């Protein structure tokens, strides 16, 4: 670590250890004093780094123990945008993305108003399963308007691009600016239960509908993400610069 290490660098160090499996779910994180000694920082800096990891859902406080690594969850979009900016990759260590389906579909009542198109308008869809450490994390269906597919024909192929929004935003000449995330709970479909390895009869899943807008006001993606189990909900209103 460089001299005058900041909280963001410390958070990044432990984030990578969690994502690549060096620190496993349930393991106890180093104490704040150990972090201070390791990086030569004040306790306020160490505490801020740990608070960032907690806000990302990567760690949890455990009474009588300290801070522990949380179980597998899906990173929020702000984390993925920051990860891509730092590493050129949208997936963290130990994460994989399996494309389940690509094609064209008519925009339904959920997707159409968010893409600002009439119901039934043909839009491109990519469905994928994201896993971390071999454990399914979430199912995601991403919907793109015609102008996005026009500049990123790669999205029509059944292979993972690893950073679909970033590629589209770059070619459209406008960076990602903000995201609206709408969270609801519902019963899982049988296909969702099978993909996520959920075996109970009636399973409640969390659905996050995410609308990503570029700086010039165009919508680059509407994604419907479904995750089972205990889901930590997080929101971010900005995808550009600033502290996280």
């Amino acid at each position: 670590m460089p001299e005058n290490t900041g909280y963001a660098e410390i958070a990044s160090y432990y984030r990578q250890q969690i994502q690549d499996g060096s620190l496993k779910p349930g393991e106890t994180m180093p104490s704040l004093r150990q972090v201070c000694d390791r990086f030569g920082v004040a306790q306020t800096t160490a505490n801020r780094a740990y608070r960032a990891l907690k806000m990302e859902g990567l760690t949890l406080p455990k009474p009588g123990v300290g801070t522990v690594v949380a179980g597998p969850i899906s990173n929020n979009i702000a984390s993925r945008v920051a990860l891509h900016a730092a590493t050129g990759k949208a997936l963290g260590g130990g994460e994989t993305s399996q494309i389940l389906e690509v094609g064209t579909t008519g925009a339904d009542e959920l997707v159409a108003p968010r893409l600002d198109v009439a119901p039934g308008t043909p839009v491109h869809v990519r469905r994928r399963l994201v896993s971390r450490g071999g454990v399914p994390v979430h199912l995601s269906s991403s919907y793109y308007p015609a102008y996005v597919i026009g500049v990123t024909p790669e999205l029509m192929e059944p292979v993972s691009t690893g950073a679909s929004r970033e590629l589209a935003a770059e070619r459209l000449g406008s960076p990602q600016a903000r995201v609206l995330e709408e969270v609801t709970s519902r019963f899982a479909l049988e296909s969702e239960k099978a993909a996520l390895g959920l075996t109970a009869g009636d399973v409640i899943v969390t659905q996050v509908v995410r609308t990503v807008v570029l700086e010039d006001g165009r919508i680059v993606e509407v994604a419907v993400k479904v995750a089972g189990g205990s889901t930590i909900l997080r929101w971010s209103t900005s995808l550009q610069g600033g502290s996280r």
Side-chain angles (χ1 to χ4, degrees):
M1 286 284 175
E3 293 184 5
N4 301 317
T5 299
Y7 85 94
E9 288 83 5
I10 296 172
S12 177
Y13 174 81
Y14 287 114
R15 183 184 304 113
Q16 184 60 46
Q17 287 212 322
I18 292 169
Q19 291 178 337
D20 68 18
S22 298
L23 285 169
K24 296 177 171 51
E27 286 190 11
T28 303
M29 296 284 291
S31 67
L32 289 178
R33 173 49 54 196
Q34 289 173 318
V35 173
C36 293
D37 292 343
R38 179 183 180 89
F39 298 101
V41 297
Q43 185 162 324
T44 53
T45 301
N47 188 59
R48 193 176 180 189
Y50 268 30
R51 188 163 61 247
L53 296 174
K54 177 184 174 183
M55 293 300 294
E56 292 173 25
L58 295 175
T59 63
L60 294 168
K62 188 172 183 179
V65 176
T67 297
V68 300
V69 179
I73 59 169
S74 173
N75 282 345
N76 68 353
I77 183 174
S79 296
R80 293 192 182 279
V81 169
L83 180 64
H84 183 268
T87 68
K89 299 178 181 179
L91 295 177
E95 287 188 325
T96 59
S97 177
Q98 177 189 0
I99 302 298
L100 303 178
E101 177 189 351
V102 295
T104 301
T105 187
D108 62 18
E109 68 274 7
L110 181 68
V111 173
R114 291 165 177 80
L115 281 179
D116 197 21
V117 299
T121 299
V123 294
H124 190 74
V125 61
R126 289 169 62 85
R127 306 189 200 279
R128 61 193 179 277
L129 175 67
V130 174
S131 300
R132 181 177 297 145
V135 178
V137 174
H138 74 257
L139 281 169
S140 185
S141 298
S142 294
Y143 299 87
Y144 303 98
Y147 56 80
V148 170
I149 298 304
V151 298
T152 51
E154 295 94 330
L155 299 185
M156 299 177 68
E157 301 298 326
V159 294
S160 178
T161 63
S164 303
R165 287 186 315 277
E166 285 75 14
L167 183 62
E170 178 182 352
R171 293 185 183 174
L172 287 168
S174 183
Q176 300 176 85
R178 64 185 183 276
V179 58
L180 170 66
E181 294 184 272
E182 303 168 88
V183 183
T184 57
S185 295
R186 60 171 173 78
F187 286 110
L189 302 175
E190 289 300 321
S191 58
E192 294 167 342
K193 288 166 58 178
L196 292 169
L198 306 174
T199 58
D202 291 328
V203 180
I204 298 293
V205 292
T206 298
Q207 174 180 281
V208 181
V209 181
R210 184 179 64 201
T211 303
V212 184
V213 183
L214 300 179
E215 194 173 66
D216 64 10
R218 285 180 291 180
I219 297 166
V220 69
E221 177 194 59
V222 170
V224 181
K225 182 173 71 174
V226 176
S230 177
T231 303
I232 297 174
L233 306 181
R234 299 153 303 208
W235 289 265
S236 176
T237 56
S238 175
L239 299 177
Q240 296 180 314
S243 61
R244 303 176 55 229

